[in-house]
Amino acid sequence: ACASNNFTEIPEFPSGVTNIGYRTFAYCNELVDIKIPDAVKTIDKDAFRGCTGLKTVDLNKVETFVGGWSFSGCTSLESVVFGADFKTFGGPDFQDCSSLSKITVKALVPPTVPYGLLTNTFYGCSEDLTIYVPAESLEAYRTAEKWIDCADRIQAMPSEE
């Protein structure tokens, strides 16, 4: 999509659009801070892959990543916020996001990781990566299957989140 369009923000989606498809915004290097529209519930494989200018992402009402590598290679990405309805990672969704140091997951139940391990999802991210979760769910996240390998990175969400 960005071969011919230098999007600096997510355009308004037509009513009824609930999915951001395969490579829709891949390599849109002008994107910096994005908030996914409320109607969007799924993000497909490679949807934002290689958006090297992207710094922050608010996934708001997104529930599922499909297929993996959704934000892979977004080397400037620093923080991501998942809403309370987020349920499933698609695979190595944030692989090689070397600046990613803060992830906030507002879901009370740890999202599933159907493919590989959670460490694969965040492979190549900042060594300082911290995953913030609701305080009442901290132990559930730290002991959940496939989350346990990142237990030392999981912290209670600060109250202002």
Side-chain angles (χ1 to χ4, degrees), residues 44-100:
D44 280 349
K45 178 180 180 180
D46 293 342
F48 292 91
R49 183 181 199 137
C51 293
T52 57
L54 193 59
K55 290 188 179 219
T56 63
V57 176
D58 184 344
L59 294 165
N60 200 29
K61 300 290 184 182
V62 172
E63 296 175 1
T64 304
F65 284 171
V66 179
W69 298 282
S70 302
F71 290 89
S72 179
C74 295
T75 55
S76 298
L77 186 61
E78 298 170 353
S79 70
V80 177
V81 177
F82 292 95
D85 297 326
F86 189 70
K87 294 174 179 56
T88 310
F89 286 102
D93 294 300
F94 295 94
Q95 187 172 4
D96 296 325
C97 292
S98 55
S99 299
L100 185 58

Side-chain angles (χ1 to χ4, degrees), residues 63 82 86-89 105 107 109-113 118 141 144-145 147:
E63 296 175 1
F82 292 95
F86 189 70
K87 294 174 179 56
T88 310
F89 286 102
V105 184
V109 176
T112 60
V113 184
L118 191 65
Y141 274 85
E145 181 182 5
W147 285 81

Side-chain angles (χ1 to χ4, degrees), residues 6 10-11 13 17 32 35 42 53 62 76 106 114 117 121 127 130 132 139 160-161:
N6 285 328
I10 300 291
F13 286 12
V17 172
V32 177
K35 181 178 185 290
T42 60
V62 172
S76 298
K106 296 179 180 179
L117 301 171
T121 300
E127 290 186 18
T130 303
Y132 293 98
E139 195 59 28
E160 68 272 3
E161 298 282 342

Side-chain angles (χ1 to χ4, degrees), residues 4-28:
S4 59
N5 298 304
N6 285 328
F7 292 112
T8 57
E9 60 186 36
I10 300 291
E12 188 171 323
F13 286 12
S15 178
V17 172
T18 61
N19 177 55
I20 296 177
Y22 175 71
R23 291 198 169 195
T24 301
F25 296 101
Y27 304 102
C28 289

Side-chain angles (χ1 to χ4, degrees), residues 139-160:
E139 195 59 28
Y141 274 85
R142 287 183 173 168
T143 59
E145 181 182 5
K146 298 189 181 180
W147 285 81
I148 199 165
D149 56 326
C150 290
D152 60 330
R153 295 176 177 239
I154 301 171
Q155 303 293 324
M157 193 182 320
S159 58
E160 68 272 3

